[in-house]
Amino acid sequence: MFSKRPSTTAAVVVSVIVAWGPVGVVLKAQRPSVVTPAPPLSAHDVLVAMNASRVHDGLTPLVMDARLTAAARDKMADMLRRHYFDHKSPDGKSIWDTIPPDKCAYGVAGENLARGFSDPAAMETSWMHSASHRENILNRDHKLTGIAVSQSPPMAVVLFADTCG
C-alpha cells in the first residue's frame, strides 16, 4: 500500500467558470484556494501511530531510545548510500549484527522497514496487515524503539527492543 502526498510547495488552485453570455464566452474567475501540503514524515508521528495500536490492544506505549534511534539512522544511511531496501545488507548482515552488545544489550528485538509512505497512519496500517510487522508493534516484550525516517525517498526504519542496557 503506497500513499502519496501533495508537493511540499503550496499550490494555488483557481477555478474558472465558462458560460455563454449575450456577447459570446464569459469567463468568471472564482476565489483562489490554497492547497496546504501535508507535513513531512516524522519519527514522532510514526511513534504516535504505533502507540495508538499498542494502547488499543492494552499494551504500554513504546518509549524512544537514543541508542536504538542512532542504530536506526545508521541503517537508514547505509540503505540510502548502498541503494538497497532489505532487513539484510548487501553483505548479509542484519541490523542486530551491527550493534555491539556494549552499545545496546537486548533480549528480544525486531525491525520494521517501510518505503513509499509519506503518511505515518497509512504506514502503520500497512504494517498492521502484515503478521510479522504487526507482531513487532504489538509484542508485549518490546518496550523501547528507535525510529529513523527519510523524506526523499520516503522511508522508515523502526527498531524494537525489550531493553537496551
Side-chain angles (χ1 to χ4, degrees):
M1 173 183 272
F2 293 95
S3 67
K4 299 223 178 206
R5 104 168 82 134
S7 163
T8 56
T9 308
V12 176
V13 178
V14 178
S15 59
V16 176
I17 299 173
V18 178
W20 288 98
V23 207
V25 176
V26 177
L27 298 177
K28 296 180 181 177
Q30 292 184 332
R31 167 182 251 158
S33 61
V34 176
V35 177
T36 306
L41 184 63
S42 76
H44 172 76
D45 291 341
V46 173
L47 178 65
V48 168
M50 291 189 308
N51 277 340
S53 291
R54 287 180 63 86
V55 169
H56 179 265
D57 276 30
L59 301 171
T60 58
L62 295 165
V63 175
M64 289 289 277
D65 179 84
R67 294 159 295 187
L68 289 174
T69 297
R73 287 182 183 148
D74 289 347
K75 167 76 174 199
M76 174 74 71
D78 187 57
M79 287 195 305
L80 292 172
R81 184 178 65 255
R82 296 168 65 183
H83 307 287
Y84 72 96
F85 181 80
D86 200 303
H87 293 286
K88 297 258 185 198
S89 68
D91 52 355
K93 292 185 177 180
S94 77
I95 184 68
W96 309 110
D97 295 326
T98 63
I99 301 174
D102 62 330
K103 292 229 179 189
C104 182
Y106 55 87
V108 178
E111 176 186 53
N112 282 4
L113 303 178
R115 71 175 168 187
F117 292 94
S118 53
D119 174 32
M123 178 187 302
E124 196 271 345
T125 297
S126 177
W127 280 335
M128 294 304 282
H129 286 97
S130 161
S132 60
H133 294 99
R134 178 183 177 87
E135 184 179 328
N136 280 335
I137 293 170
L138 299 180
N139 187 321
R140 291 186 181 284
D141 294 329
H142 291 164
K143 307 293 183 212
L144 304 175
T145 190
I147 302 171
V149 297
S150 166
Q151 304 304 320
S152 182
M155 289 180 16
V157 174
V158 180
L159 304 179
F160 305 89
D162 56 344
T163 186
C164 193

